[in-house]
Amino acid sequence: MGDARGMDHVFDTAADVTTALGRTGYLADEALATVTFLATRLNRPILLEGEPGTGKTALAEALAQALDLKLIRLQCYEGIDATQALYDWDFPRQILHLRTVEAISRDEDHDSHALNTAALEAELFDERFLLARPVLQALREAPCVLLIDEIDRADDEFEAFLLEVLSTWQVTIPELGTVGAATPPIVVLTSNRTRELHDALKRRCLYHWIDHPGLARELEIVRTRLPEVSAALAEQVVTLVQRLRGSGELIKPPGVAETLDWARALETVGATRLDPEVAAATLGAALKYREDSERIRASLDKLLTV
């Protein structure tokens, strides 16, 4: 897949994307399959926004698995800068190398030592002391899938840096020169929309909003990912999760990931149906806030009989 044509030939149609992702257990709807297809054809990053747990990160993982490519992940956080994304120098090894050379040079004459100073400085910034971070890794190891997770947690300066890399597919290391990707990686950026991203970054990407799936699709996801869970139990879990999301009363409604966790937890404890007692005992798989858990525990009887 790493030939001169880049990644624009890995899928022939959007339907191929659906089929390939489906083999990994990821069920993409037509709109998501289409934007993914276009991203590979046009060598454009995909920007996925949506509530946590809707499958944004999972798309990158499924793409890497479907195409048998390495997944390289950059987890964004407040205060992240280019050093954490690109590269750093292994200072402890550089110092050790310097001390070793100094120890050896004690047996040499002063002129010889002076002549080797420039060479020594060059050695300290040799490739062997370079620590490649995710973005540099992706440029060097492409074709691959680069996941830039929760970009909304980073700041404006990091966005600007990232935009430059995504526009040129290359970075310059002053001590070593320019590193570019002969085959641009497939890039998936995710955002939980805790803040608005800049228009310049959005223009560089193909945008898609991932919403929580409807009942039928979510049930299909559970049946595909967890075939060991009985059809009746899967339907009960998905139906209840859909009601929880629709209630509008929760601080953090459960995502698809929580639906899967809950169904897996119920199957693990040997439940064959969802009743108030077993639902209350396993509720921590779906709800992550105390207030949400207390509110739902108090109304489980009603929710399960609606």
Side-chain angles (χ1 to χ4, degrees):
M1 295 178 188
D3 62 32
R5 292 182 296 166
M7 300 300 293
D8 62 349
H9 63 292
V10 294
F11 299 117
D12 291 326
T13 65
D16 290 343
V17 177
T18 303
T19 301
L21 294 178
R23 293 194 190 103
T24 73
Y26 189 97
L27 303 182
D29 60 23
E30 184 179 356
L32 180 57
T34 300
V35 78
T36 303
F37 167 70
L38 291 173
T40 61
R41 276 297 176 98
L42 303 176
N43 285 328
R44 298 281 292 278
I46 309 170
L47 172 58
L48 300 177
E49 285 195 327
E51 296 295 326
T54 51
K56 302 183 297 296
T57 298
L59 175 67
E61 297 169 344
L63 265 176
Q65 183 180 344
L67 297 174
D68 194 24
L69 295 174
K70 182 175 182 179
L71 175 67
I72 298 175
R73 177 174 180 167
L74 173 63
Q75 178 62 54
C76 298
Y77 53 86
E78 185 177 353
I80 189 173
D81 60 25
T83 300
Q84 281 80 43
L86 277 179
Y87 70 93
D88 206 347
W89 293 103
D90 192 339
F91 294 118
R93 287 190 62 206
Q94 286 175 317
I95 292 171
L96 181 61
H97 178 72
L98 179 61
R99 288 176 177 172
T100 301
V101 173
E102 287 176 342
I104 295 173
S105 68
R106 290 193 188 103
D107 296 329
E108 300 176 354
D109 60 62
H110 178 75
D111 291 339
S112 176
H113 179 64
L115 289 172
N116 288 329
T117 299
L120 176 59
E121 290 178 354
E123 286 179 5
L124 289 176
F125 293 98
D126 186 74
E127 177 76 29
R128 58 184 159 155
F129 298 118
L130 184 71
L131 298 175
R133 305 302 188 196
V135 172
L136 181 59
Q137 274 185 274
L139 294 178
R140 287 173 137 188
E141 300 179 28
C144 62
V145 176
L146 173 61
L147 168 62
I148 302 173
D149 218 5
E150 298 184 324
I151 181 61
D152 53 317
R153 297 180 63 183
D155 56 25
D156 295 351
E157 289 75 12
F158 187 77
E159 263 193 66
F161 148 74
L162 201 58
L163 179 63
E164 182 178 356
V165 174
L166 297 180
S167 298
T168 62
W169 303 115
Q170 65 181 29
V171 297
T172 299
I173 302 174
E175 300 85 354
L176 296 178
T178 299
V179 177
T183 302
I186 297 176
V187 180
V188 177
L189 299 96
T190 75
S191 167
N192 294 328
R193 208 172 185 182
T194 59
R195 71 172 177 86
E196 287 294 332
L197 302 178
H198 282 261
D199 288 343
L201 182 63
K202 287 187 173 182
R203 281 196 299 271
R204 183 69 189 87
C205 304
L206 297 179
Y207 178 86
H208 185 73
W209 174 269
I210 295 188
D211 211 342
H212 291 294
L215 190 147
R217 177 166 289 275
E218 188 162 20
L219 182 56
E220 186 181 3
I221 292 171
V222 173
R223 296 304 312 278
T224 300
R225 298 287 295 275
L226 301 174
E228 67 274 16
V229 176
S230 70
L233 181 59
E235 185 172 359
Q236 282 186 301
V237 172
V238 171
T239 300
L240 180 54
V241 168
Q242 292 276 328
R243 288 172 182 164
L244 295 181
R245 290 192 196 122
S247 69
E249 299 177 348
L250 300 181
I251 298 172
K252 167 61 175 68
V256 176
E258 283 77 26
T259 303
L260 292 168
D261 283 346
W262 202 3
R264 190 179 293 111
L266 289 163
E267 195 275 334
T268 300
V269 300
T272 56
R273 59 184 299 274
L274 194 59
D275 57 45
E277 183 178 352
V278 72
T282 56
L283 199 55
L287 301 179
K288 310 301 180 180
Y289 283 85
R290 175 188 173 188
E291 296 88 342
D292 288 346
S293 295
E294 291 179 346
R295 183 178 295 113
I296 297 306
R297 279 195 178 94
S299 57
L300 275 173
D301 284 329
K302 179 181 178 181
L303 287 167
L304 288 169
T305 56
V306 172

